[in-house]
Amino acid sequence: METKPEVNVGKFVGRHLSQLKILARLLEHELEAAKGGRELTVDRHLVENVLDTLEIFVDDCESASGMQRDRAKTEPKPVVARLN
């Protein structure tokens, strides 16, 4: 019987938050570089990379929660026997 490693979603997300932090800093930098104007010009390549990073993060989180759901489905629930 194959055993799957336990996935702690909280720790998993915590480790992967660094990706989102980097994106936030990048976007803050781009806003500052725009010199406070109302319009912002962003390179297409930069936006594609941001989207790729977000998609990877979402896929990783979905796969982690899917693994946890699969594990919950395969493990039988404990049965309590009552003796009267």
Coordinates of all heavy atoms in Angstrom, one line a residue:
M1 N 0.8 -1.2 0.0 CA 0.0 0.0 0.0 C 0.9 1.2 0.0 O 1.8 1.3 0.7 CB -0.9 0.0 1.2 CG -1.9 1.0 1.2 SD -3.2 0.4 2.3 CE -3.7 1.8 3.1
E2 N 0.6 2.2 -0.8 CA 1.4 3.3 -1.0 C 0.9 4.4 0.0 O -0.2 4.7 0.1 CB 1.2 3.9 -2.4 CG 2.2 4.9 -2.8 CD 2.0 5.3 -4.3 OE1 1.9 4.4 -5.1 OE2 1.9 6.5 -4.6
T3 N 1.9 5.0 0.7 CA 1.5 6.1 1.6 C 1.9 7.4 1.0 O 3.0 7.5 0.4 CB 2.3 5.9 3.0 OG1 3.7 5.9 2.7 CG2 1.8 4.6 3.6
K4 N 1.1 8.4 1.2 CA 1.3 9.7 0.7 C 1.8 10.6 1.9 O 1.4 10.4 3.0 CB 0.1 10.4 0.1 CG -0.4 9.7 -1.1 CD -1.7 10.4 -1.6 CE -2.2 9.7 -2.8 NZ -3.4 10.3 -3.3
P5 N 2.8 11.4 1.6 CA 3.3 12.3 2.7 C 2.1 13.3 3.1 O 1.3 13.7 2.3 CB 4.4 13.1 2.0 CG 4.2 13.0 0.6 CD 3.5 11.7 0.3
E6 N 2.1 13.6 4.4 CA 1.1 14.5 4.9 C 1.4 15.9 4.3 O 2.5 16.3 4.3 CB 1.1 14.5 6.4 CG 0.4 13.3 7.0 CD 0.2 13.4 8.4 OE1 -0.1 14.5 8.9 OE2 0.3 12.4 9.1
V7 N 0.3 16.6 4.0 CA 0.5 18.0 3.4 C -0.2 18.9 4.4 O -1.3 18.8 4.7 CB -0.1 18.1 2.0 CG1 0.0 19.5 1.6 CG2 0.5 17.2 1.1
N8 N 0.6 19.8 5.0 CA 0.1 20.8 5.9 C -0.1 22.1 5.0 O 0.9 22.7 4.6 CB 1.1 21.1 7.0 CG 0.5 22.1 8.0 OD1 -0.3 23.0 7.6 ND2 1.0 22.0 9.2
V9 N -1.3 22.4 4.6 CA -1.6 23.4 3.7 C -1.1 24.8 4.2 O -0.6 25.6 3.4 CB -3.1 23.5 3.3 CG1 -3.4 24.6 2.4 CG2 -3.5 22.2 2.7
G10 N -1.2 25.0 5.5 CA -0.7 26.3 6.1 C 0.7 26.5 5.9 O 1.2 27.5 5.4
K11 N 1.5 25.5 6.1 CA 3.0 25.6 5.9 C 3.3 25.7 4.4 O 4.2 26.4 4.0 CB 3.7 24.3 6.5 CG 3.8 24.4 8.0 CD 4.5 23.2 8.5 CE 4.6 23.1 10.1 NZ 5.3 22.0 10.6
F12 N 2.6 24.9 3.6 CA 2.8 24.9 2.2 C 2.6 26.3 1.6 O 3.4 26.9 0.9 CB 1.9 23.9 1.5 CG 2.0 23.8 0.0 CD1 3.0 23.1 -0.5 CD2 1.1 24.6 -0.8 CE1 3.1 23.0 -1.9 CE2 1.3 24.5 -2.2 CZ 2.2 23.7 -2.7
V13 N 1.5 26.9 2.0 CA 1.1 28.3 1.5 C 2.1 29.3 2.1 O 2.6 30.2 1.3 CB -0.3 28.7 1.9 CG1 -0.6 30.1 1.6 CG2 -1.3 27.8 1.2
G14 N 2.5 29.1 3.3 CA 3.5 30.0 3.9 C 4.8 30.0 3.1 O 5.5 31.0 2.9
R15 N 5.3 28.8 2.7 CA 6.5 28.7 2.0 C 6.4 29.3 0.6 O 7.3 29.9 0.0 CB 6.9 27.2 1.8 CG 7.5 26.6 3.0 CD 8.1 25.3 2.8 NE 7.3 24.4 2.0 CZ 6.5 23.4 2.6 NH1 6.4 23.3 3.9 NH2 5.8 22.6 1.8
H16 N 5.2 29.3 0.0 CA 5.0 29.8 -1.3 C 4.6 31.2 -1.4 O 4.5 31.8 -2.4 CB 4.0 28.9 -2.1 CG 4.6 27.6 -2.5 ND1 4.7 26.5 -1.6 CD2 5.1 27.1 -3.6 CE1 5.2 25.5 -2.2 NE2 5.5 25.8 -3.4
L17 N 4.3 31.8 -0.2 CA 4.0 33.3 -0.2 C 5.1 34.1 -0.7 O 4.9 35.3 -1.1 CB 3.6 33.7 1.2 CG 2.1 33.4 1.6 CD1 1.8 33.8 3.0 CD2 1.2 34.0 0.6
S18 N 6.3 33.7 -0.6 CA 7.5 34.5 -1.1 C 7.3 34.9 -2.6 O 7.7 36.0 -3.0 CB 8.8 33.7 -0.9 OG 8.8 32.5 -1.7
Q19 N 6.7 34.0 -3.4 CA 6.4 34.3 -4.8 C 5.5 35.6 -4.8 O 5.7 36.5 -5.6 CB 5.7 33.2 -5.5 CG 6.5 31.9 -5.5 CD 5.7 30.7 -6.0 OE1 4.5 30.8 -6.2 NE2 6.4 29.6 -6.2
L20 N 4.4 35.6 -4.0 CA 3.5 36.7 -4.1 C 4.2 38.0 -3.5 O 3.9 39.1 -4.0 CB 2.2 36.4 -3.3 CG 1.4 35.2 -3.9 CD1 0.2 35.0 -3.0 CD2 1.1 35.4 -5.3
K21 N 5.0 37.8 -2.5 CA 5.7 39.0 -1.9 C 6.6 39.6 -3.0 O 6.7 40.8 -3.1 CB 6.5 38.6 -0.7 CG 5.7 38.2 0.5 CD 6.5 37.8 1.6 CE 5.7 37.4 2.8 NZ 6.5 36.9 4.0
I22 N 7.3 38.8 -3.8 CA 8.2 39.3 -4.8 C 7.3 40.1 -5.9 O 7.7 41.2 -6.3 CB 9.0 38.2 -5.5 CG1 10.0 37.7 -4.5 CG2 9.6 38.7 -6.8 CD1 10.7 36.4 -4.9
L23 N 6.2 39.5 -6.2 CA 5.3 40.2 -7.2 C 4.8 41.5 -6.6 O 4.8 42.5 -7.4 CB 4.1 39.3 -7.5 CG 4.4 38.1 -8.4 CD1 3.1 37.3 -8.6 CD2 5.1 38.5 -9.7
A24 N 4.5 41.5 -5.4 CA 4.0 42.8 -4.8 C 5.1 43.9 -4.8 O 4.8 45.0 -5.2 CB 3.5 42.5 -3.4
R25 N 6.3 43.5 -4.5 CA 7.4 44.4 -4.5 C 7.7 44.9 -5.9 O 8.0 46.1 -6.1 CB 8.7 43.8 -3.9 CG 8.6 43.6 -2.4 CD 9.9 43.1 -1.8 NE 9.6 42.7 -0.4 CZ 10.0 41.6 0.1 NH1 10.6 40.6 -0.6 NH2 9.8 41.3 1.4
L26 N 7.6 44.0 -6.9 CA 7.8 44.4 -8.3 C 6.8 45.4 -8.7 O 7.1 46.4 -9.3 CB 7.8 43.1 -9.2 CG 7.8 43.4 -10.7 CD1 9.1 44.0 -11.1 CD2 7.5 42.1 -11.4
L27 N 5.5 45.2 -8.4 CA 4.5 46.1 -8.8 C 4.6 47.4 -8.1 O 4.4 48.5 -8.7 CB 3.1 45.5 -8.6 CG 2.8 44.2 -9.5 CD1 1.5 43.6 -9.1 CD2 2.8 44.6 -10.9
E28 N 5.0 47.4 -6.8 CA 5.3 48.6 -6.1 C 6.4 49.4 -6.8 O 6.3 50.7 -6.9 CB 5.7 48.4 -4.6 CG 4.5 47.9 -3.8 CD 5.0 47.5 -2.4 OE1 6.2 47.6 -2.1 OE2 4.1 47.2 -1.6
H29 N 7.4 48.7 -7.2 CA 8.5 49.4 -7.9 C 8.1 50.0 -9.2 O 8.4 51.2 -9.5 CB 9.7 48.4 -8.2 CG 10.7 48.9 -9.0 ND1 11.7 49.8 -8.5 CD2 11.0 48.7 -10.3 CE1 12.5 50.1 -9.5 NE2 12.1 49.5 -10.6
E30 N 7.2 49.3 -9.9 CA 6.7 49.8 -11.2 C 5.9 51.1 -10.9 O 5.9 52.1 -11.7 CB 5.9 48.8 -11.9 CG 6.8 47.7 -12.5 CD 7.8 48.1 -13.5 OE1 7.5 49.0 -14.4 OE2 8.9 47.6 -13.5
L31 N 5.1 51.1 -9.9 CA 4.3 52.2 -9.6 C 5.1 53.4 -9.2 O 4.9 54.6 -9.6 CB 3.3 51.9 -8.4 CG 2.1 51.1 -8.8 CD1 1.3 50.7 -7.5 CD2 1.2 51.8 -9.7
E32 N 6.2 53.2 -8.4 CA 7.1 54.3 -8.1 C 7.8 54.8 -9.3 O 8.1 56.0 -9.4 CB 8.1 53.8 -7.0 CG 7.5 53.7 -5.6 CD 8.5 53.2 -4.6 OE1 9.7 53.4 -4.8 OE2 8.1 52.6 -3.6
A33 N 8.2 53.9 -10.2 CA 8.9 54.3 -11.4 C 8.0 55.2 -12.3 O 8.6 56.0 -13.1 CB 9.4 53.1 -12.1
A34 N 6.7 55.1 -12.2 CA 5.8 55.9 -13.0 C 5.7 57.3 -12.6 O 5.0 58.1 -13.1 CB 4.4 55.3 -13.0
K35 N 6.5 57.7 -11.5 CA 6.5 59.1 -11.0 C 5.2 59.6 -10.6 O 4.9 60.8 -10.8 CB 7.2 60.0 -12.1 CG 8.5 59.6 -12.6 CD 9.6 59.7 -11.5 CE 10.9 59.4 -12.1 NZ 11.9 58.9 -11.2
G36 N 4.3 58.8 -10.0 CA 3.1 59.3 -9.5 C 2.0 59.7 -10.5 O 1.0 60.2 -10.2
G37 N 2.3 59.4 -11.8 CA 1.3 59.7 -12.8 C 0.1 58.8 -12.8 O 0.1 57.8 -12.1
R38 N -1.0 59.2 -13.4 CA -2.2 58.3 -13.4 C -2.1 57.1 -14.3 O -2.7 56.1 -14.2 CB -3.4 59.2 -13.8 CG -3.7 60.2 -12.8 CD -5.1 60.8 -13.0 NE -6.2 59.9 -13.2 CZ -6.9 59.3 -12.3 NH1 -6.7 59.6 -11.0 NH2 -7.9 58.5 -12.6
E39 N -1.2 57.2 -15.3 CA -1.0 56.1 -16.3 C 0.2 55.3 -15.9 O 1.2 55.9 -15.5 CB -1.0 56.6 -17.7 CG -2.4 57.1 -18.2 CD -2.4 57.5 -19.6 OE1 -1.5 57.0 -20.4 OE2 -3.2 58.3 -20.0
L40 N 0.2 54.0 -16.2 CA 1.3 53.2 -15.9 C 1.6 52.3 -17.2 O 0.7 51.7 -17.7 CB 1.0 52.3 -14.7 CG 2.1 51.2 -14.4 CD1 3.3 51.9 -13.9 CD2 1.5 50.3 -13.3
T41 N 2.8 52.3 -17.6 CA 3.2 51.5 -18.8 C 4.0 50.3 -18.3 O 5.0 50.5 -17.6 CB 4.0 52.3 -19.8 OG1 3.2 53.4 -20.2 CG2 4.3 51.4 -21.0
V42 N 3.5 49.1 -18.5 CA 4.2 47.9 -18.1 C 4.6 47.1 -19.3 O 3.8 46.9 -20.2 CB 3.4 47.1 -17.1 CG1 4.1 45.9 -16.6 CG2 2.9 48.0 -15.9
D43 N 5.8 46.6 -19.3 CA 6.3 45.7 -20.4 C 5.4 44.4 -20.5 O 5.1 43.8 -19.4 CB 7.7 45.4 -20.1 CG 8.3 44.6 -21.3 OD1 8.1 44.9 -22.4 OD2 9.0 43.6 -21.0
R44 N 5.1 44.0 -21.7 CA 4.3 42.8 -21.9 C 5.0 41.6 -21.3 O 4.3 40.7 -20.6 CB 4.0 42.6 -23.4 CG 3.2 41.4 -23.7 CD 2.9 41.3 -25.2 NE 2.1 40.2 -25.4 CZ 0.7 40.2 -25.4 NH1 0.1 41.4 -25.1 NH2 0.0 39.2 -25.7
H45 N 6.3 41.5 -21.4 CA 7.0 40.4 -20.9 C 6.9 40.3 -19.4 O 6.7 39.2 -18.8 CB 8.5 40.5 -21.3 CG 9.3 39.3 -20.9 ND1 9.1 38.0 -21.4 CD2 10.3 39.2 -20.1 CE1 10.0 37.2 -20.9 NE2 10.8 37.9 -20.0
L46 N 6.9 41.5 -18.7 CA 6.8 41.5 -17.3 C 5.4 41.0 -16.8 O 5.3 40.2 -15.9 CB 7.0 43.0 -16.8 CG 6.8 43.2 -15.3 CD1 7.9 42.5 -14.6 CD2 6.9 44.7 -15.0
V47 N 4.4 41.4 -17.5 CA 3.0 41.0 -17.2 C 2.8 39.5 -17.4 O 2.2 38.8 -16.6 CB 1.9 41.8 -18.0 CG1 0.5 41.2 -17.8 CG2 2.0 43.3 -17.6
E48 N 3.4 39.0 -18.5 CA 3.4 37.5 -18.7 C 4.0 36.8 -17.6 O 3.5 35.7 -17.1 CB 4.0 37.2 -20.1 CG 3.2 37.6 -21.3 CD 4.0 37.5 -22.6 OE1 5.2 37.2 -22.6 OE2 3.3 37.6 -23.6
N49 N 5.2 37.3 -17.1 CA 5.9 36.6 -16.0 C 5.1 36.7 -14.7 O 5.0 35.7 -13.9 CB 7.3 37.2 -15.8 CG 8.2 36.8 -16.9 OD1 8.1 35.8 -17.5 ND2 9.2 37.7 -17.1
V50 N 4.4 37.8 -14.5 CA 3.6 37.9 -13.3 C 2.4 36.9 -13.3 O 2.2 36.2 -12.4 CB 3.0 39.4 -13.2 CG1 1.9 39.5 -12.1 CG2 4.2 40.3 -12.8
L51 N 1.8 36.8 -14.5 CA 0.7 35.9 -14.6 C 1.2 34.4 -14.5 O 0.5 33.6 -13.9 CB 0.0 36.0 -16.0 CG -0.9 37.3 -16.1 CD1 -1.4 37.4 -17.6 CD2 -2.0 37.2 -15.2
D52 N 2.3 34.1 -15.1 CA 2.9 32.8 -14.9 C 3.1 32.4 -13.5 O 2.8 31.3 -13.0 CB 4.2 32.6 -15.7 CG 4.0 32.6 -17.2 OD1 2.9 32.4 -17.6 OD2 5.0 32.8 -17.9
T53 N 3.7 33.4 -12.7 CA 4.0 33.1 -11.3 C 2.7 32.9 -10.5 O 2.6 32.0 -9.7 CB 4.8 34.3 -10.7 OG1 6.0 34.5 -11.5 CG2 5.1 34.1 -9.3
L54 N 1.7 33.7 -10.8 CA 0.4 33.6 -10.1 C -0.3 32.2 -10.5 O -0.8 31.6 -9.6 CB -0.5 34.7 -10.5 CG -0.2 36.1 -9.9 CD1 -1.1 37.2 -10.5 CD2 -0.3 36.1 -8.4
E55 N -0.2 31.8 -11.7 CA -0.8 30.5 -12.1 C -0.1 29.4 -11.4 O -0.7 28.4 -11.0 CB -0.7 30.4 -13.6 CG -1.7 31.3 -14.3 CD -1.5 31.3 -15.9 OE1 -0.5 30.7 -16.4 OE2 -2.4 31.9 -16.5
I56 N 1.3 29.4 -11.3 CA 2.0 28.4 -10.7 C 1.6 28.3 -9.2 O 1.4 27.2 -8.6 CB 3.5 28.6 -10.8 CG1 4.0 28.4 -12.3 CG2 4.3 27.7 -9.9 CD1 5.4 28.8 -12.6
F57 N 1.5 29.5 -8.6 CA 1.1 29.5 -7.1 C -0.3 28.9 -7.0 O -0.5 28.1 -6.1 CB 1.1 31.0 -6.6 CG 0.6 31.1 -5.2 CD1 1.5 30.8 -4.2 CD2 -0.6 31.5 -4.9 CE1 1.1 31.0 -2.9 CE2 -1.1 31.6 -3.6 CZ -0.2 31.4 -2.6
V58 N -1.2 29.3 -7.8 CA -2.6 28.7 -7.7 C -2.6 27.2 -8.0 O -3.2 26.5 -7.2 CB -3.5 29.5 -8.7 CG1 -4.9 28.8 -8.8 CG2 -3.7 30.9 -8.3
D59 N -1.9 26.8 -9.0 CA -1.8 25.3 -9.3 C -1.2 24.6 -8.1 O -1.7 23.5 -7.8 CB -1.0 25.1 -10.5 CG -1.7 25.5 -11.8 OD1 -2.9 25.8 -11.8 OD2 -1.0 25.7 -12.8
D60 N -0.2 25.1 -7.5 CA 0.5 24.4 -6.4 C -0.5 24.3 -5.2 O -0.6 23.3 -4.6 CB 1.7 25.1 -5.9 CG 2.9 25.0 -6.9 OD1 2.8 24.1 -7.8 OD2 3.9 25.7 -6.7
C61 N -1.2 25.4 -4.9 CA -2.2 25.4 -3.8 C -3.3 24.4 -4.1 O -3.8 23.7 -3.2 CB -2.7 26.8 -3.5 SG -1.4 27.9 -2.8
E62 N -3.8 24.4 -5.3 CA -4.9 23.5 -5.7 C -4.5 22.1 -5.6 O -5.2 21.2 -5.1 CB -5.4 23.8 -7.1 CG -6.3 25.0 -7.1 CD -6.7 25.4 -8.6 OE1 -6.2 24.8 -9.5 OE2 -7.6 26.2 -8.7
S63 N -3.2 21.8 -6.0 CA -2.8 20.4 -5.9 C -2.6 20.0 -4.5 O -2.8 18.8 -4.1 CB -1.5 20.2 -6.8 OG -0.4 20.9 -6.2
A64 N -2.1 20.9 -3.6 CA -1.9 20.6 -2.2 C -3.2 20.3 -1.6 O -3.4 19.4 -0.8 CB -1.2 21.7 -1.5
S65 N -4.2 21.1 -1.8 CA -5.5 20.9 -1.2 C -6.2 19.7 -1.8 O -6.9 19.0 -1.1 CB -6.4 22.1 -1.3 OG -6.7 22.4 -2.7
G66 N -5.9 19.4 -3.1 CA -6.5 18.2 -3.7 C -5.9 16.9 -3.1 O -6.6 15.9 -2.8
M67 N -4.6 17.0 -2.8 CA -3.9 15.8 -2.1 C -4.5 15.6 -0.7 O -4.7 14.5 -0.3 CB -2.4 16.1 -2.0 CG -1.7 15.9 -3.3 SD 0.0 16.4 -3.3 CE 0.7 15.5 -1.9
Q68 N -4.8 16.7 0.0 CA -5.4 16.6 1.3 C -6.8 16.0 1.2 O -7.2 15.2 2.0 CB -5.4 17.9 2.0 CG -5.7 17.8 3.5 CD -5.5 19.2 4.2 OE1 -5.5 20.2 3.6 NE2 -5.3 19.1 5.5
R69 N -7.6 16.5 0.2 CA -8.9 15.9 0.1 C -8.9 14.4 -0.3 O -9.7 13.6 0.2 CB -9.7 16.7 -1.0 CG -10.3 18.0 -0.5 CD -11.2 18.5 -1.6 NE -10.5 18.6 -2.9 CZ -10.2 19.8 -3.4 NH1 -10.5 20.9 -2.9 NH2 -9.6 19.8 -4.6
D70 N -8.0 14.1 -1.2 CA -7.8 12.7 -1.6 C -7.5 11.8 -0.4 O -8.0 10.7 -0.2 CB -6.8 12.5 -2.7 CG -7.2 13.1 -4.0 OD1 -8.4 13.4 -4.2 OD2 -6.3 13.3 -4.9
R71 N -6.6 12.3 0.4 CA -6.2 11.6 1.6 C -7.3 11.4 2.6 O -7.5 10.3 3.1 CB -5.0 12.3 2.3 CG -4.3 11.4 3.3 CD -3.1 12.2 3.9 NE -3.6 13.2 4.8 CZ -3.7 13.1 6.1 NH1 -3.3 11.9 6.7 NH2 -4.1 14.0 6.9
A72 N -8.2 12.4 2.7 CA -9.3 12.3 3.6 C -10.4 11.3 3.0 O -11.0 10.6 3.8 CB -10.0 13.7 3.7
K73 N -10.4 11.2 1.7 CA -11.4 10.3 1.1 C -11.0 8.8 1.3 O -11.8 8.0 1.5 CB -11.6 10.6 -0.4 CG -12.4 11.8 -0.6 CD -12.5 12.0 -2.1 CE -13.2 13.4 -2.5 NZ -13.2 13.6 -3.9
T74 N -9.7 8.6 1.2 CA -9.2 7.2 1.3 C -9.1 6.6 2.7 O -9.2 5.4 2.9 CB -7.8 7.1 0.6 OG1 -6.9 7.9 1.2 CG2 -8.0 7.4 -0.9
E75 N -8.9 7.5 3.7 CA -8.8 7.0 5.0 C -10.2 6.8 5.6 O -11.0 7.7 5.6 CB -8.0 8.1 5.9 CG -6.6 8.1 5.5 CD -5.8 9.1 6.4 OE1 -6.5 9.7 7.4 OE2 -4.6 9.3 6.2
P76 N -10.4 5.6 6.1 CA -11.7 5.4 6.7 C -11.9 6.2 8.0 O -10.9 6.4 8.8 CB -11.7 3.9 7.0 CG -10.3 3.6 7.1 CD -9.5 4.5 6.2
K77 N -13.1 6.6 8.3 CA -13.4 7.4 9.5 C -13.4 6.4 10.7 O -13.9 5.3 10.5 CB -14.7 8.1 9.4 CG -14.7 9.2 8.3 CD -16.0 10.0 8.3 CE -15.9 11.1 7.3 NZ -17.1 11.8 7.2
P78 N -12.9 6.9 11.8 CA -12.9 6.0 13.0 C -14.4 5.7 13.4 O -15.3 6.5 13.3 CB -12.2 6.7 14.0 CG -12.1 8.1 13.6 CD -12.3 8.1 12.1
V79 N -14.6 4.4 13.8 CA -15.9 4.0 14.3 C -15.9 3.8 15.8 O -15.0 3.2 16.3 CB -16.3 2.7 13.6 CG1 -17.7 2.2 14.1 CG2 -16.3 2.9 12.1
V80 N -16.9 4.4 16.4 CA -16.9 4.3 17.9 C -17.9 3.2 18.2 O -19.1 3.2 17.8 CB -17.4 5.6 18.5 CG1 -17.5 5.4 20.0 CG2 -16.4 6.7 18.1
A81 N -17.5 2.2 18.9 CA -18.4 1.1 19.4 C -18.9 1.4 20.7 O -18.2 1.8 21.6 CB -17.6 -0.2 19.4
R82 N -20.2 1.3 20.8 CA -20.9 1.6 22.1 C -21.3 0.3 22.8 O -21.9 -0.6 22.1 CB -22.1 2.4 21.9 CG -21.7 3.8 21.3 CD -22.9 4.7 21.2 NE -22.7 5.7 22.2 CZ -23.6 6.5 22.7 NH1 -24.8 6.4 22.3 NH2 -23.3 7.4 23.6
L83 N -20.9 0.1 24.0 CA -21.3 -1.1 24.7 C -22.3 -0.6 25.8 O -22.1 0.3 26.6 CB -20.1 -1.7 25.4 CG -19.1 -2.2 24.4 CD1 -17.9 -2.7 25.2 CD2 -19.6 -3.3 23.5
N84 N -23.5 -1.2 25.8 CA -24.5 -0.8 26.8 C -24.6 -1.9 27.9 O -24.4 -3.0 27.8 CB -25.9 -0.7 26.1 CG -25.9 0.5 25.2 OD1 -25.1 1.4 25.3 ND2 -26.9 0.5 24.3

